[in-house]
Amino acid sequence: MESQETAKRPIEEPVDAVAVQDAEPATKRVKLDDAPVPQVQEEPSQPQPQTEDEKPKEQRQDDRDKRRGIAPIKAEYLVVPPSQVAKTAEVVDDDAAEGRTAPDAETGAAGKDGKKKRPKGQNKEREFGIFADAQRLCNSVAWTPEFSPRNCKHGDRCNALHDIRKYLKEGRRPDLQVFGGKCPVWETHGKCSSGWRCLFVESHMKEVEHEDGRKELILTEDPSRIKPETTPSVPLEEESMDARAGVYNVVAPAIKLALSRKKIQHEKSDQYLKWMAKDSELARIHYHKQKDDDDVAKDYAAQYVEPPLKPSEKRRIYFGRETPVLAPLTTQGNLPFRRLCVELGAEITYSEMALGLPLLQGQKADWTLMRAHESEITPPRYTPTGLLDLAYDNAKDLKFGVQITANAPWIAIKSAETLSRYLPHLRVIDLNCGCPIDMVYKSGAGSALLDAPSKLERMIRGMSMVSGEVPVTAKIRMGIRDDRLTAQKLVERLALGAPDIRAVSGAPGCAAVTLHGRTRQQRYTKAADWSYIAECAALVKSFNETSNSLQDTIREADERSLPNGGRMYFVGNGDCYSHVDYFNHVDNAGVDSVMVGRGAIIKPWIFEEISAGQYLDKSATERLAYVQKFAKYGMEAWGSDELGLNYTRRFLLEFLSFFHRYVPIGLLEYLPPAMNDRPPAYKGRNELETLLASKNYLDWIKISEMFLGPAPPNFKFQPKHKSNAYENIEAEG
């Protein structure tokens, strides 16, 4: 592994030696006894079979070679004999992250052997406790000098503290000593958006004495570190809690309030929806006529009325071999994690999936998902390869796109108009048509759209009409059921439109399609079907080259409705865990690029491996440095006060629930590693590596305390995966 070590990039921020030492007690908790497993004696009258461990070394059968799905860890790192690794291999239920609950998950029913089964599925209605200051500081003084507060809008009725000195002494816990006691936000940006609430406030405050002898507490700033271009457009006095340096797409509270009160007009959407209702009725009437398809199409064409508006010319986008894509990940795909992945080489990113209706209602939680870091609004890497790319302007492109879901065309269309109007930094608006979560599916959104092709087409067509220059894309699955795959027909429809009316209405205007190589029924129980993805990729290629190659009746779609000059990009998704997987799919499946999901959470440097074209054996210290960066980036995104810091802690723990599953390359008997291989119980090359591999969420909390300080007494964490919950004991720091 020496050549791999030299290929690694240097870590920008060293990890505290003290922090590493703090890991020792937790490491000792998870180390397993190396004592041999006691053998059960047979009856004396029966011959006792020779176990694998008793056989000569050359005659032993390694259980790892016989069992698929078990990581081939070298024997010297196993804590049990090789013949028994299957008994200690971790069973991971990734469906839990998507809301699926396995049978017996709630009851913990006994198995055939009478023993209580290990909990599986998802911990629903998880609680994280309440973490806040002992006494709340009023916003009128939270960011101002001691003697210059703003007017409090509550006046004498305000029950919050206005005395800064009293707040610092009694209203909150003492300053933290992690990061050397210095505020990581202030150290980077020259000022701290958390003001007096910052848990590192002593590092950016001072007491000044005036001529009259009065001493005043003030917050300090470092003008040399403040970058004007990274300051959000939202005035500090309007939204101090949300004004974060380096964060873009921050929507002002007044706009969200107007949305909630239905005072925002959607002129384009209203016009188009009125026309769409009439056109849908016309299409329904002709569809049910007892005529052959040609007559129905001609009859519809004779009465067809053009929509009241045309789609604007779309900004051209690009997907290629050099642009690995980070998938939109619920919970995990937050801004700090995306920022870390971009730093490691992700070229295209997506927000977490937002619900269309709450966006239209101005709900803060969904609008918060739309924010992007400054590193995400830079252009992706681009290598010109052909004539089709001549019109593409890489300087106008950017990495960040948003994903939404909706169960009705009017929601999707109005959401697209609203997003394109208020978010200035958008690459694409992606419609989720593959989410398998029961709540989403039963509402008619997500993967339910796979069985509603007409509704899906109307959504994409309408969104493209009103989204301005922002292209519209879709993410789908192979189908809902294993015995009924629908992706090929959907891809054709998204590329060219419905077969019987495409000559009249043209293509829907879908700029790209991402196909996850599983059905809704499969979830993660089977490997992604890349042969099916390859078949769809070949279809998309034929659509892009010549529409007449499919069947003689298809006419070329209207050029005005086609983004990218008539080219629809096609991206594959599923089980990509290394650069080998990535380039194999691009070269052999024929996709333009590959979207990486779980592989990036387990191993964020997969993008670095893709760029380098080789495996990287990251040391435990380097991996801990990524945890440290996540903590720092979380405080920059959500704040360094009590609320923001423990918000960071919660999402860091969610990250560690996947991150711990990485098995270091140097511990494997052979390559390539497989994401779905379950690691047996093993010890790392040092105590820190053993700690990072712990499945116990109490150890994850210990790791978080290295960089976020002690968890407050009322902080709780329950992993999404019940298999990690260890009898579902709540974690209290």
Side-chain angles (χ1 to χ4, degrees):
M1 306 306 295
E2 293 181 3
S3 61
Q4 296 175 357
E5 288 288 349
T6 58
K8 292 180 293 190
R9 299 179 184 176
I11 297 300
E12 297 178 3
E13 299 176 9
V15 178
D16 257 349
V18 176
V20 175
Q21 292 173 3
D22 288 342
E24 186 174 350
T27 304
K28 292 179 179 178
R29 288 204 308 271
V30 299
K31 289 185 65 176
L32 301 178
D33 191 357
D34 290 335
V37 177
Q39 302 296 324
V40 178
Q41 298 294 328
E42 301 287 342
E43 293 291 335
S45 59
Q46 298 178 355
Q48 183 175 342
Q50 199 174 23
T51 66
E52 294 295 328
D53 299 315
E54 293 172 336
K55 292 180 181 179
K57 186 174 182 181
E58 62 274 7
Q59 297 180 12
R60 296 180 188 176
Q61 288 184 331
D62 194 332
D63 194 49
R64 297 166 295 165
D65 297 329
K66 297 184 297 180
R67 303 274 306 218
R68 291 186 59 188
I70 297 179
I73 295 178
K74 295 177 181 178
E76 59 263 35
Y77 297 108
L78 295 173
V79 298
V80 295
S83 60
Q84 301 193 23
V85 295
K87 298 179 181 179
T88 64
E90 177 187 13
V91 179
V92 179
D93 180 15
D94 280 328
D95 294 334
E98 292 186 336
R100 180 182 179 183
T101 302
D104 302 329
E106 302 297 334
T107 60
K112 293 182 180 180
D113 56 0
K115 296 182 179 180
K116 191 174 181 180
K117 292 183 179 180
R118 188 180 185 84
K120 297 180 181 179
Q122 183 189 39
N123 277 316
K124 295 187 176 181
E125 300 179 359
R126 298 183 299 158
E127 295 182 359
F128 300 95
I130 300 175
F131 28 85
D133 291 329
Q135 300 183 59
R136 186 169 61 89
L137 183 67
C138 181
N139 283 348
S140 64
V141 300
W143 297 273
T144 64
E146 184 180 9
F147 298 159
S148 306
R150 300 201 306 264
N151 291 327
C152 179
K153 60 182 180 180
H154 300 291
D156 296 336
R157 297 179 290 108
C158 184
N159 57 6
L161 281 177
H162 291 76
D163 187 334
I164 293 176
R165 294 180 185 269
K166 183 177 181 181
Y167 168 76
L168 294 177
K169 184 177 181 180
E170 304 174 6
R172 46 155 243 165
R173 58 172 164 162
D175 266 22
L176 300 178
Q177 298 306 309
V178 294
F179 289 98
K182 296 181 179 180
C183 175
V185 180
W186 193 95
E187 291 293 314
T188 301
H189 300 288
K191 62 180 179 181
C192 178
S193 55
S194 296
W196 293 110
R197 297 189 180 103
C198 175
L199 288 173
F200 304 87
V201 70
E202 291 181 3
S203 66
H204 53 78
M205 60 169 278
K206 66 179 181 179
E207 186 178 57
V208 297
E209 185 173 355
H210 296 284
E211 294 180 355
D212 58 3
R214 294 188 305 163
K215 295 182 178 180
E216 180 183 21
L217 294 177
I218 63 171
L219 295 169
T220 61
E221 295 183 358
D222 184 354
S224 65
R225 305 187 192 198
I226 299 176
K227 302 177 183 178
E229 66 272 15
T230 64
T231 302
S233 58
V234 178
L236 186 63
E237 55 271 12
E238 287 189 25
E239 191 162 344
S240 299
M241 296 293 290
D242 292 333
R244 310 290 182 191
V247 178
Y248 289 78
N249 289 343
V250 179
V251 178
I255 295 175
K256 288 179 279 192
L257 181 62
L259 284 168
S260 67
R261 295 179 176 178
K262 299 182 179 179
K263 292 185 177 181
I264 299 292
Q265 300 299 317
H266 302 86
E267 296 86 357
K268 292 182 180 180
S269 298
D270 291 337
Q271 290 182 54
Y272 185 80
L273 288 167
K274 185 177 180 181
W275 170 86
M276 189 184 71
K278 295 180 179 179
D279 183 71
S280 299
E281 180 63 18
L282 178 65
R284 186 189 66 81
I285 293 173
H286 291 292
Y287 178 79
H288 290 289
K289 285 187 176 181
Q290 298 299 319
K291 297 180 180 180
D292 60 74
D293 292 343
D294 289 339
D295 289 340
V296 171
K298 292 177 182 177
D299 199 7
Y300 172 79
Q303 300 184 48
Y304 179 78
V305 177
E306 291 283 339
L309 61 158
K310 295 292 183 181
S312 301
E313 183 178 355
K314 304 298 181 187
R315 185 196 317 114
R316 297 206 175 193
I317 59 175
Y318 173 78
F319 289 91
R321 183 184 180 88
E322 70 274 34
T323 59
V325 184
L326 176 64
L329 300 162
T330 302
T331 304
Q332 310 288 350
N334 47 67
L335 188 148
F337 177 73
R338 297 197 311 268
R339 179 180 175 185
L340 177 62
C341 288
V342 169
E343 185 177 308
L344 292 172
E347 295 297 331
I348 296 170
T349 63
Y350 289 88
S351 71
E352 299 178 58
M353 183 187 73
L355 303 178
L357 188 57
L359 286 173
L360 295 176
Q361 294 170 339
Q363 293 188 19
K364 182 178 179 180
D366 286 84
W367 278 103
T368 300
L369 302 179
M370 303 294 99
R371 297 177 184 175
H373 184 256
E374 60 182 335
S375 62
E376 296 181 278
I377 64 173
T378 58
R381 188 167 45 168
Y382 170 62
T383 304
T385 56
L387 295 176
L388 283 176
D389 303 325
L390 292 178
Y392 168 70
D393 187 352
N394 181 251
K396 293 183 179 180
D397 201 358
L398 63 157
K399 296 181 174 71
F400 178 73
V402 299
Q403 188 185 70
I404 64 170
T405 190
N407 62 357
W410 73 267
I411 297 177
I413 294 170
K414 288 192 174 184
S415 296
E417 182 179 1
T418 305
L419 291 170
S420 62
R421 181 187 302 176
Y422 295 115
L423 301 182
H425 304 285
L426 279 186
R427 184 177 203 257
V428 298
I429 300 174
D430 186 73
L431 180 64
N432 182 300
C433 313
C435 179
I437 298 176
D438 289 342
M439 179 189 71
V440 176
Y441 173 75
K442 291 178 180 179
S443 73
S447 56
L449 295 173
L450 299 175
D451 275 354
S454 296
K455 181 166 75 170
L456 173 56
E457 181 183 347
R458 291 198 301 272
M459 286 181 170
I460 295 293
R461 193 181 296 276
M463 292 169 67
S464 181
M465 286 284 182
V466 302
S467 64
E469 69 168 3
V470 182
V472 175
T473 62
K475 186 172 188 287
I476 64 175
R477 286 186 177 233
M478 296 193 304
I480 292 179
R481 299 187 57 82
D482 295 349
D483 57 357
R484 187 170 177 270
L485 305 183
T486 58
Q488 291 187 4
K489 290 184 177 180
L490 278 178
V491 167
E492 178 184 349
R493 193 154 187 162
L494 292 173
L496 303 173
D500 51 348
I501 62 173
R502 66 178 55 146
V504 178
S505 57
C510 189
V513 171
T514 300
L515 174 60
H516 185 173
R518 293 183 175 90
T519 64
R520 178 183 185 268
Q521 182 182 359
Q522 287 174 353
R523 299 293 182 93
Y524 289 105
T525 58
K526 296 181 180 179
D529 189 346
W530 277 92
S531 62
Y532 186 83
I533 294 176
E535 293 175 12
C536 293
L539 283 178
V540 172
K541 184 177 180 181
S542 69
F543 299 152
N544 290 332
E545 290 178 350
T546 169
S547 59
N548 294 325
S549 62
L550 289 178
Q551 45 184 308
D552 296 335
T553 57
I554 299 178
R555 290 180 54 188
E556 188 174 357
D558 187 350
E559 187 73 16
R560 295 172 302 175
S561 63
L562 294 176
N564 298 314
R567 176 178 183 178
M568 186 176 79
Y569 286 101
F570 187 69
V571 180
N573 174 221
D575 295 346
C576 182
Y577 192 49
S578 68
H579 67 286
V580 175
D581 294 334
Y582 180 87
F583 292 116
N584 177 52
H585 298 328
V586 172
D587 295 336
N588 298 326
V591 295
D592 293 303
S593 185
V594 177
M595 179 178 283
V596 186
R598 291 177 300 158
I601 316 175
I602 299 171
K603 186 173 70 172
W605 59 93
I606 183 175
F607 301 106
E608 192 177 355
E609 289 186 343
I610 292 171
S611 178
Q614 66 179 39
Y615 292 105
L616 299 177
D617 186 16
K618 296 289 184 177
S619 68
T621 303
E622 289 175 299
R623 290 165 58 205
L624 189 64
Y626 294 143
V627 177
Q628 182 187 45
K629 285 188 175 183
F630 187 103
K632 177 184 175 183
Y633 296 163
M635 284 187 278
E636 290 184 28
W638 297 313
S640 52
D641 57 350
E642 189 71 57
L643 182 63
L645 187 136
N646 285 293
Y647 203 66
T648 298
R649 190 190 307 276
R650 178 223 161 162
F651 284 101
L652 175 58
L653 294 174
E654 302 281 12
F655 171 48
L656 290 174
S657 72
F658 281 84
F659 192 68
H660 84 279
R661 288 164 54 180
Y662 171 72
V663 180
I665 294 294
L667 272 59
L668 295 178
E669 196 76 60
Y670 53 81
L671 300 176
M675 178 166 54
N676 294 323
D677 281 356
R678 297 169 293 155
Y682 72 93
K683 57 185 178 182
R685 291 166 289 193
N686 52 57
E687 289 191 348
L688 179 58
E689 195 166 72
T690 302
L691 173 67
L692 291 175
S694 172
K695 298 178 285 188
N696 190 333
Y697 74 106
L698 295 172
D699 283 330
W700 307 343
I701 292 179
K702 181 68 176 179
I703 293 172
S704 78
E705 291 177 338
M706 296 180 187
F707 310 113
L708 299 175
N714 54 358
F715 178 83
K716 300 176 182 179
F717 178 75
Q718 290 176 303
K720 277 191 173 183
H721 299 78
K722 287 193 173 183
S723 59
N724 293 122
Y726 287 80
E727 305 298 333
N728 282 337
I729 301 173
E730 292 179 340
E732 297 190 10

